[in-house]
């Protein structure tokens, strides 16, 4: 492995090694930059430093056990990972239309909360890379509120594993609605604060405007997803085009931009946070009418019976035992579950061979495709812009390397 | 001149050995806990303590995030948890300026040589905090891709469990490490720590 | 998805037992039907696609032509969603590579399947057509050892360069190490066995 930090080539350019330990590569990304003076001539990303073998490990666990492993792929929004895997399994078990409505609404609320949390981390670290420390501190403050909500419902701050095939692990506790409502009340003024610090800040504008431009054609060619794709003028959002968990009932806009530069990606994400607040408000309205309803499908072959039932009925106990020891068994087949994660189309592809363990699980990582376009963004630009470009595509190495 | 008995030598680097003339002279050997005893021990122990106190309260961690735990590590240094209250907030991005490596996340076999290189680049004295289940024992991913515990490649001083650990837990780990640093022997050779090598 | 029936496709032999036997398979969605008309060698595999995305099995020799046709003919499939591999050791051609395309005009999706096998499994590369195929193909090469002819930079991507073996192949062990508990009265438990405890219902 070449770990030299500088190497001079025959043509007079210089090879600069950036990463895997670098504060602005957002993880363990390694970039080989070929520089002519301060201009990037070539850029070769090197990934795999966080390869965890999650997909292989899932093949050795049953369908329920595998849920826990999905959390740590895209570790900025673990709930989206859970959900995309669970959606694929629900298609595989043929119960996608039977999931209770209360579970669907809570799923939507949690997904949007995790979208805000992920965008807050992105905004904080992106701004920090560009020299704005205050925004970092502000964003982390708000993120702590979201994590405390996650902790409130599941007991864990980040890796909640809250989704189950056919619904949720448990109902949300008393007081969930009030806490979420309090958070979404407080967030919009705070987004105004971030915008006041960045949106018209001349330093920020200089470092983001017309930097890392990606045209619509290039964005399609490289298979970009999510805010990066929408910032290049493509209006594609899985929540609108392939609605899941009842997203078709929510009224929200999909922000997009035709600029295609770092600033456009910033604006799209900030506006997405505001839209998420809108969705959460509507979700809370819906949740009011669903008090006390089921949060998990009543199918003892697939979903765990409730704790009270296990205490009372022998049959439930046997089902519970079977589900724990053996797990649910789907028909042979394959299914692709998708959702719009904070980084774009997050898909999980599950192959079943009719046994109790998935034959193959594949994550479709949006960051994998977004990062592939990075050379396109940085070639011909200054070294300092590389940092802005990496920040703007919002990569999470956990999902890229899996 | 030659007949007068030599006075016992004191001072760093000088050992007053017991001799037939001075059977009571003590050799300043470090006790098992690393402190000095004996004639020169008093002075050394005071210096040792002062240095230990200073080292413990000015930890400079290496800004080195691997996976999910890195996010909690950042949360630890950000608002609300604010690790600077405990004197460990100066995250350095260069290993040459750091003395604490927080292994925050899972270490893949591809990353292991890099991690070891970073550790080797850090100047002595240095400490390693293994943050989270993955760094300590590879957590839920017991498979081909991961190093099954970072203690196979670098010597670990303190393990913080959790997946990921809460920021409070990491701060607690740092406080415990500070106690360890403070009471450790500051000069001379530290306890022998032979790191294992990675086996693929 | 949008253009096809939700749930399972009624393919003979794979029909769920709970439903009464459905005699004729449903008519193919428009995009798939056009593809099958244009390329008679393609066919719909006998397999349950629980997500309802229309799927065609493509002979590897025709793959590049089919993909170019999909790109250029209305509705243009202009987004490469994903390329993934799978390993079915019992099959004659054990490596299955799945391509997923998306059309932004109609929001239709289509899935192509290619099989590879033999001593040195290989498929034509899509990188000349789609730059997006670069990394996924490298990943499949890394994880399954399926080579892609015409790929400009075919080397390992996730595993170290000197790694031996292809991790996602079924004959590659998971590599679990038994966990030894401190002062455990019992010997360490055997690692999780790979594959199902229940016999797969297909060969």
């Amino acid at each position: 492995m070449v770990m030299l930090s500088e190497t001079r080539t025959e043509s007079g350019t210089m090879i600069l090694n950036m990463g895997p330990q670098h504060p602005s590569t957002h993880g363990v990304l390694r970039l080989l930059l070929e520089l002519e003076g301060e201009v990037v001539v070539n850029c070769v990303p090197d990934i795999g430093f966080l390869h965890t073998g999650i997909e292989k490990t899932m093949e050795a666990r049953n369908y329920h056990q595998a849920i826990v492993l999905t959390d740590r792929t895209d570790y900025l929004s673990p709930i989206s990972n859970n959900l995309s895997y669970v959606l694929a399994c629900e298609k595989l078990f043929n119960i996608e239309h039977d999931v209770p409505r209360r579970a669907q609404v809570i799923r939507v609320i949690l997904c949007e909360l995790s979208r805000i949390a992920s965008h807050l981390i992105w905004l904080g670290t992106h701004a920090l890379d560009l020299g704005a420390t205050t925004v970092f501190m502000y964003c982390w403050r708000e993120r702590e509120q979201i994590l405390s909500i996650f902790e409130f419902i599941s007991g864990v701050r980040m890796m909640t594993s809250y989704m189950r095939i056919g619904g949720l692990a448990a109902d949300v506790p008393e007081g969930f609605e009030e806490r979420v409502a309090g958070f979404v009340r407080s967030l919009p003024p705070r987004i105004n604060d971030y915008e006041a610090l960045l949106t018209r800040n001349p330093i920020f504008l200089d470092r983001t405007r017309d930097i890392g431009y990606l045209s619509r054609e290039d964005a399609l060619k490289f298979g970009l997803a999510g805010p990066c794709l929408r910032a290049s003028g493509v209006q594609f959002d899985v929540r609108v085009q392939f609605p899941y968990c009842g997203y078709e009932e929510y009224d929200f806009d999909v922000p997009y931009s035709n600029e295609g530069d770092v600033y456009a990606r910033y604006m799209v994400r900030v506006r997405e946070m505001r839209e998420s607040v809108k969705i959460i408000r509507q979700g809370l309205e819906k949740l009011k009418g669903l008090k006390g309803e089921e949060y998990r499908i009543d199918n003892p072959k697939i979903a765990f019976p409730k704790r009270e039932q296990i205490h009372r009925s022998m049959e439930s106990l046997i089902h519970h035992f079977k589900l724990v020891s053996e797990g649910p068994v789907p028909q042979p087949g394959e299914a692709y579950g998708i959702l719009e994660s904070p980084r774009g189309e997050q898909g999980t592809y599950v192959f079943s061979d009719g046994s109790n363990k998935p034959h193959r699980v594949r994550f479709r990582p949006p960051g994998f495709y977004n990062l592939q376009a990075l050379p396109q963004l940085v070639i011909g630009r200054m070294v300092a812009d590389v940092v802005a470009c990496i920040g703007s595509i919002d990569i999470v190495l956990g999902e890229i390397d899996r | 001149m030659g007949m007068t008995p030599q006075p016992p030598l004191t001072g760093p680097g000088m050992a007053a050995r017991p001799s037939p003339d001075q059977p009571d002279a003590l050799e300043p050997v470090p006790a098992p806990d690393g402190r000095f005893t004996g004639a020169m021990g008093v002075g050394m122990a005071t210096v040792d303590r002062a240095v230990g106190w200073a080292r413990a309260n000015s930890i400079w961690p290496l800004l080195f995030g691997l996976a999910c735990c890195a996010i909690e590590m950042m949360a630890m240094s950000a608002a609300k948890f604010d690790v600077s209250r405990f004197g460990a907030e100066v995250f350095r991005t260069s290993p040459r300026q750091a003395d604490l490596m927080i292994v925050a996340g899972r270490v893949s076999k591809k990353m292991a040589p890099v991690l070891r290189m970073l550790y080797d680049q850090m100047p002595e004295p240095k400490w390693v905090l293994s943050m989270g289940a993955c760094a300590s024992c590879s957590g839920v991913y017991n498979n081909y891709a991961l190093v099954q515990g970072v203690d196979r490649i670098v010597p670990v001083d303190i393990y913080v469990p959790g997946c990921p650990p809460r920021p409070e837990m990491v701060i607690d780990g740092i406080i415990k490490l500070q106690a360890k640093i403070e009471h450790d022997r500051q000069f001379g050779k530290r306890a022998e720590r032979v790191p294992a090598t990675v086996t693929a | 998805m949008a253009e096809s029936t939700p749930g399972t496709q009624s393919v003979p032999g794979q029909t769920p037992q709970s439903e009464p036997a459905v005699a004729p398979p449903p008519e193919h969605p428009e995009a798939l039907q056009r593809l099958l008309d244009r390329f008679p060698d393609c066919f719909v595999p006998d397999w349950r696609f629980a997500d309802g995305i229309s799927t065609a099995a493509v002979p590897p020799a025709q793959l590049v032509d089919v993909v170019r046709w999909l790109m250029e003919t209305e509705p243009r499939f202009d987004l490469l969603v994903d390329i993934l591999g799978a390993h079915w050791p019992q099959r004659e051609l054990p490596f299955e590579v799945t391509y997923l395309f998306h059309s932004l005009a109609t929001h239709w999706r289509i899935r192509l399947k290619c099989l590879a096998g033999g001593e040195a499994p290989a498929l034509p590369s899509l990188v000349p057509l789609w730059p997006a195929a670069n990394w996924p193909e490298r990943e499949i090469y890394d994880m399954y050892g399926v080579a892609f002819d015409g790929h400009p930079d075919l080397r390992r991507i996730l595993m170290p360069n000197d790694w031996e073996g292809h991790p996602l192949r079924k004959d590659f062990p998971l590599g679990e190490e038994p966990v030894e508990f401190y002062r455990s009265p019992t010997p360490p438990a055997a690692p999780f066995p790979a594959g199902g405890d229940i016999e797969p219902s297909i060969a």
Side-chain angles (χ1 to χ4, degrees), chain A residues 223-271:
Chain A
L224 256 64
C228 296
L229 185 66
R230 291 193 284 274
S232 290
V234 182
Q235 293 179 58
F236 172 60
D237 189 317
V238 178
R239 292 175 290 176
V240 178
Q241 263 78 40
F242 302 110
Y244 53 94
C245 295
Y247 261 110
E248 62 272 22
E249 301 165 11
Y250 295 83
D251 174 37
F252 63 99
D253 297 325
V254 179
Y256 75 101
S257 165
N258 291 321
E259 307 291 324
D261 55 4
V262 174
Y263 188 73
R265 292 189 270 277
Y266 159 78
M267 284 311 289
V268 166
R269 288 205 181 89
V270 170
R271 269 150 60 195

Side-chain angles (χ1 to χ4, degrees), chain A residues 44-49 51 53 55-57 59-61 65 91-94 96-97 216 219-224 229 234-236 238 241-242 325-327 329-338 345 349 351-360 362-365 368-369 371-372 400-402, chain C residues 1-2 6-8 14-17 19 47-51 53 78-89 96 98 100 102 104 107 109 111 113 129-136 139 143-144 155 157-159 167-170 172-174 176 192-202:
Chain A
V44 180
D46 183 9
I47 60 172
F49 289 97
H51 178 61
E55 292 171 354
K56 181 90 177 175
T57 313
E59 291 171 12
R61 305 285 187 273
Q65 291 169 332
K91 286 176 180 169
L92 209 54
F93 284 98
N94 221 349
E96 53 172 321
H97 302 297
R216 184 194 149 94
L220 293 177
K221 239 170 43 184
F222 283 99
L224 256 64
L229 185 66
V234 182
Q235 293 179 58
F236 172 60
V238 178
Q241 263 78 40
F242 302 110
S325 59
E326 197 175 278
V329 184
Q331 302 252 330
E334 63 186 66
Y336 181 57
I338 47 170
E345 177 181 335
Y349 215 107
F351 290 75
S352 159
D353 58 1
S355 74
N356 63 339
K357 295 177 177 173
H359 181 78
R360 160 94 165 107
R362 149 84 176 170
F363 295 103
R364 190 265 179 203
F368 190 72
Y369 290 87
L371 181 60
Q372 213 180 162
I400 292 168
D401 296 344
R402 298 179 302 284
Chain C
M1 290 267 158
T8 55
Q14 299 289 349
T15 317
Q17 278 82 27
E19 291 175 20
W47 181 243
R48 186 171 78 107
F49 296 105
D51 46 19
I53 301 176
D78 39 12
L79 196 62
L80 172 64
V81 179
D82 202 6
I83 304 180
L84 64 142
H87 186 202
W88 300 88
E96 180 189 85
T98 305
L100 205 54
H102 179 90
L104 282 171
H107 297 296
R109 287 206 162 180
R111 176 162 49 201
K113 295 237 173 209
L129 293 175
W130 286 101
N134 190 331
W135 283 14
E139 190 188 327
M143 291 291 154
Y144 291 98
R155 58 195 164 92
I157 184 166
L158 295 181
M159 302 310 293
L168 279 178
R169 284 192 182 182
K170 287 285 171 187
F172 190 94
L174 179 58
E176 275 183 313
F192 275 91
D197 301 332
I198 300 176
E199 279 299 301
S201 50
I202 53 158

